[in-house]
Amino acid sequence: MQPFTLTGPKGHEILIRAANQSDIPFLVELNKKSYPALAEENVCWREGHLRSHLRYFPQGQLVAELDGQIAGAICSLIVDMGSVPLRPHTYAGITDGGYFHNHDPRGDTLYGADVYVDPDTRGQGVGAALYEARRRLCRDLNLRRILAGGRLWNYSDHASEMTPDEYARRVEEGELKDLVLSFQLREGFILRDILKNYLPDPNSLNNASLIEWLNPDYDPPEEGQSSKVRVACVQYQVRGIKTFEDFAAQTEYFIETAADYNTEFVLFPEFFSVQLLSTMPNLAPLEAIRRLTELSGQFIELMSSLAIKYGCYIIAGSHPIASEKNPEKILNQSLIFSPDGEHVAQPKLHITPAERKYWGISGGSEVYVVDTPKAKIGVQICYDIEFPEATRYLADQGCEIIFVPYCTDNRQGYLRVKYCAQARAIENQIYVVTAGIVGNLPSVSAMDIHYGQAAVYTPSDFEFARDGIQAIADSNVETLLITDLDVSDLHRVRNTGAVRPRQDRRTDLFEIRSKLKNLPGPHADATKSVPFQLPE
C-alpha cells in the first residue's frame, strides 16, 4: 500500500505509511503506553513479535503519523477461517502466540490483531484513519472480510450486573458506551459474537467482541482457479561442442520442449555453461574460467532472449561472472530470468574446496527472494543446500519453492545434495526443485565426470507424494523432468499438518541472525530483508 494522508476532525493531516524496522523500539513503548493494563499482564508487543510481523506480512503493518510523529499503529495478518469463519478462537491461537507464523497469504480473511493509539492524541482521528487503512488494505488484497476480537473495555465496571453478552448488546443498542466496541460499531463493523477467554485483560475480564466487516468489492476467485505451478528440471548432458551456437541450440531445445508442456519455471544445472570450454580445449583451469567469464554477456543475452521468446522463468543453472566491484573476483552466479528478459543474479554462498582450488571461485554475500505471480522462489546453488541457515532464511522471507542447480562428480556428492534438499523441504515445509549435470568433458579440467538425478522434493505429510518425492528422473541420462506443484498444499499443511515445524519452532530459544550484504545494515537480522520483486 502506498502512503496516503487523511484529514482528522480537527484539521490535522494524518499520514498512513508502512511500518519499518527502525519503528520497532518506538512501537513497543507506544503499545505499553496505549494499554497499561495489558502491559502489567505482560501481553504487549515485544521487538521479536514486531520483527516477525514484518517478516511474514509487511503490507499488514501500518503506522499513523501526526505532525511527523508516530501516533498509532495496526498489526494484521491473513488467515483462512475455513467454512466456519465466525468460530470461537483465542488471541494466542489466531495469531500463533503473537508471532504471525500462521499468516496464510492464500486465506480470504484479514485479521485485525491490534490497533493502538497514543492516549495523548485520542480524539484527533488517528484510530479512524487506521481503520480506514485496514479497509483499504482489505480491498487492495481482494479479501472477503476483516475479522477482529475487540476487548470489552469497560465490562469490568458492569460485570456484577450483567453477562458479557448482555453488556455487548446494550452497547450495540446505544444504552452503554464502550471505548473500543462503540468505536468499532461507528466504523461499520458488525458484532457477531462474544469470545470468552480471548486475552488476559482485567478491564474486559478476558472477554472480547467478535466483529466483522465484509468487503463490498470482494471478487471471489473463479471456480477451479489453480494454485499449481509447473516446473521443469533439465538433466543436461555436457558434451563437446564447436561453437557458442551449438550450446545455444542445445539450451533452446530444452526450453522449447518445456514450453510445449506449458512449463512456468525451467531449471538448468550448475555450471552447465562450462560446456563452452570444450570450444577452447586444454586450457589450465584458472585461465579457462577467466575465458568463460568473458562470455557472460553472450550467455546473459541468450538466456534473456529465450525467456522472452518462450514466456517462462528460467533459472539458468549457474555461470562464472567477474564481480563488478572487483573484476579479479569470480562469483558462481545463478541468473534468474523473468518472461520479460530481466534477471536477478544469485551468487553461490558456500564454495567447495575444488572450486576454490582449481577455479579461484569466491563466495557471494547476498540472498534474494524473487516474487513471481505464481510463487515466491529462491535459489541455493549445490553446496549451499547443505547448510540449513540460508534456506531457513529464505523460507522465513516467504519462499515457497527453492531451486537447486548442482554439479556433482560422483554418487557421494549427489547424495549429499539429495538428502540435504529433502531435509530442507521437510523442516521448512517448502518445495525443493533440483537439477544436475550428466555426461563428461574430457578436454575440460575439473569437468571430467558427473553424476546427476533431477528430482523434486516435498514436505512429508498426507498432502504430498509418498516418500516426499514429487518426481524423480532416471540417473545419468539426458532428460527433462516435468511436474506440477500445488502451492496451496504448502500453506494448508503448515496450518493443519500432522506436524507443523514452521509453527512449532522455539523462537524463544533459537533465532537466525544475518549479515547479508543486501540487507540494510551491517548487523541486520534475517527479518530485515525486502524481497526482490521481478515484473510479471
Side-chain angles (χ1 to χ4, degrees):
M1 177 184 292
Q2 294 296 317
F4 65 91
T5 57
L6 296 170
T7 302
K10 298 183 179 180
H12 293 282
E13 290 292 314
I14 302 169
L15 171 68
I16 302 295
R17 63 167 176 83
N20 58 56
Q21 295 289 333
S22 63
D23 297 327
I24 287 178
F26 184 87
L27 292 176
V28 168
E29 296 306 314
L30 179 60
N31 195 239
K32 293 177 183 177
K33 181 180 180 181
S34 303
Y35 300 127
L38 291 182
E40 292 182 6
E41 298 290 330
N42 197 32
V43 292
C44 281
W45 298 125
R46 296 189 295 275
E47 290 195 13
H49 291 119
L50 300 183
R51 286 198 301 269
S52 184
H53 300 172
L54 288 176
R55 178 169 75 235
Y56 285 107
F57 187 34
Q59 304 100 307
Q61 320 314 314
L62 304 173
V63 300
E65 287 188 3
L66 192 64
D67 298 326
Q69 298 293 321
I70 295 178
I74 57 174
C75 303
S76 309
L77 70 156
I78 299 174
V79 295
D80 182 359
M81 300 297 286
S83 59
V84 190
L86 304 179
R87 64 180 182 270
H89 56 268
T90 65
Y91 186 79
I94 201 70
T95 65
D96 198 9
Y99 285 96
F100 295 5
H101 294 314
N102 59 321
H103 167 70
D104 183 355
R106 286 168 178 75
D108 65 356
T109 299
L110 184 66
Y111 196 88
D114 200 5
V115 176
Y116 49 105
V117 175
D118 189 329
D120 298 336
T121 66
R122 285 178 183 156
Q124 299 190 52
V126 175
L130 289 168
Y131 267 69
E132 171 60 19
R134 189 175 272 160
R135 287 191 291 267
R136 290 191 186 191
L137 179 65
C138 185
R139 287 188 174 102
D140 289 349
L141 298 178
N142 190 38
L143 298 174
R144 186 186 299 271
R145 64 174 64 82
I146 300 173
L147 278 185
R151 293 175 303 117
L152 299 180
W153 188 273
N154 303 117
Y155 175 63
S156 61
D157 297 337
H158 303 271
S160 61
E161 306 167 11
M162 61 190 77
T163 65
D165 297 77
E166 184 180 356
Y167 172 80
R169 180 185 59 78
R170 295 180 67 174
V171 171
E172 188 177 26
E173 293 175 355
E175 298 177 24
L176 295 173
K177 290 195 177 297
D178 182 271
L179 182 64
V180 174
L181 181 56
S182 297
F183 171 76
Q184 292 168 331
L185 294 172
R186 289 198 303 272
E187 288 297 316
F189 281 78
I190 299 170
L191 176 65
R192 295 301 192 188
D193 203 352
I194 297 299
L195 301 171
K196 306 293 179 21
N197 298 313
Y198 180 70
L199 183 75
D201 172 40
N203 287 349
S204 65
L205 301 184
N206 306 343
N207 295 287
S209 59
L210 177 61
I211 58 170
E212 181 183 36
W213 179 81
L214 292 171
N215 178 6
D217 301 324
Y218 176 66
D219 183 18
E222 295 181 11
E223 186 175 351
Q225 183 173 334
S226 176
S227 60
K228 289 187 176 181
V229 178
R230 181 161 294 178
V231 299
C233 310
V234 181
Q235 193 155 292
Y236 191 96
Q237 181 176 335
V238 289
R239 54 174 67 85
I241 55 176
K242 294 181 179 180
T243 66
F244 185 92
E245 288 68 29
D246 291 341
F247 170 78
Q250 186 176 344
T251 300
E252 182 171 7
Y253 164 77
F254 283 109
I255 297 172
E256 180 182 16
T257 304
D260 286 344
Y261 287 95
N262 299 314
T263 301
E264 291 151 306
F265 295 90
V266 183
L267 172 66
F268 282 87
E270 179 188 25
F271 281 137
F272 81 110
S273 65
V274 174
Q275 182 182 30
L276 289 165
L277 289 179
S278 66
T279 66
M280 34 186 150
N282 303 317
L283 296 176
L286 285 174
E287 182 185 358
I289 209 71
R290 282 285 170 196
R291 293 281 295 276
L292 192 55
T293 65
E294 296 171 3
L295 298 177
S296 296
Q298 281 183 270
F299 178 79
I300 291 171
E301 184 179 352
L302 169 67
M303 303 309 295
S304 176
S305 65
L306 293 175
I308 294 171
K309 181 177 181 179
Y310 293 102
C312 59
Y313 286 86
I314 300 173
I315 298 89
S318 77
H319 178 80
I321 297 178
S323 169
E324 291 183 3
K325 295 180 179 179
N326 179 8
E328 295 301 312
K329 182 179 180 180
I330 298 176
L331 300 172
N332 180 5
Q333 294 193 328
S334 179
L335 305 179
I336 308 158
F337 291 86
S338 64
D340 66 356
E342 296 295 317
H343 74 272
V344 177
Q346 172 60 64
K348 188 173 185 177
L349 307 179
H350 305 89
I351 305 305
T352 65
E355 286 176 279
R356 193 177 295 112
K357 174 183 177 181
Y358 292 108
W359 288 338
I361 301 288
S362 299
S365 302
E366 301 85 21
V367 171
Y368 295 103
V369 177
V370 180
D371 212 344
T372 78
K374 281 298 189 77
K376 287 185 177 181
I377 69 169
V379 173
Q380 294 283 274
I381 303 173
C382 196
Y383 198 29
D384 285 340
I385 201 66
E386 299 179 34
F387 298 84
E389 299 89 353
T391 305
R392 172 55 56 86
Y393 167 84
L394 285 166
D396 283 349
Q397 299 304 311
C399 266
E400 294 150 323
I401 306 174
I402 301 293
F403 289 92
V404 181
Y406 67 88
C407 174
T408 51
D409 58 354
N410 55 38
R411 181 174 171 80
Q412 293 97 316
Y414 154 72
L415 289 176
R416 288 193 296 268
V417 171
K418 173 187 176 179
Y419 293 142
C420 290
Q422 284 194 279
R424 302 296 87 83
I426 291 169
E427 66 201 14
N428 294 290
Q429 294 183 295
I430 56 175
Y431 293 117
V432 179
V433 180
T434 70
I437 281 178
V438 298
N440 59 78
L441 288 172
S443 64
V444 178
S445 297
M447 289 291 285
D448 311 28
I449 58 173
H450 300 92
Y451 191 107
Q453 188 172 27
V456 178
Y457 303 109
T458 75
S460 184
D461 213 324
F462 292 108
E463 303 276 351
F464 306 102
R466 177 184 169 180
D467 302 329
I469 301 175
Q470 174 73 15
I472 191 165
D474 292 334
S475 61
N476 298 323
V477 294
E478 188 168 48
T479 189
L480 186 65
L481 180 69
I482 299 176
T483 191
D484 288 341
L485 302 175
D486 193 330
V487 176
S488 64
D489 284 346
L490 291 178
H491 296 280
R492 190 158 44 245
V493 79
R494 289 175 184 179
N495 294 322
T496 63
V499 294
R500 302 163 198 178
R502 292 199 56 76
Q503 293 188 25
D504 295 337
R505 289 163 56 186
R506 291 292 304 274
T507 53
D508 57 323
L509 298 178
F510 305 101
E511 63 178 6
I512 296 178
R513 296 190 65 81
S514 169
K515 297 179 182 179
L516 293 168
K517 292 294 179 64
N518 56 310
L519 298 188
H523 302 294
D525 64 47
T527 65
K528 295 185 180 179
S529 175
V530 178
F532 191 106
Q533 188 163 3
L534 283 174
E536 297 185 12

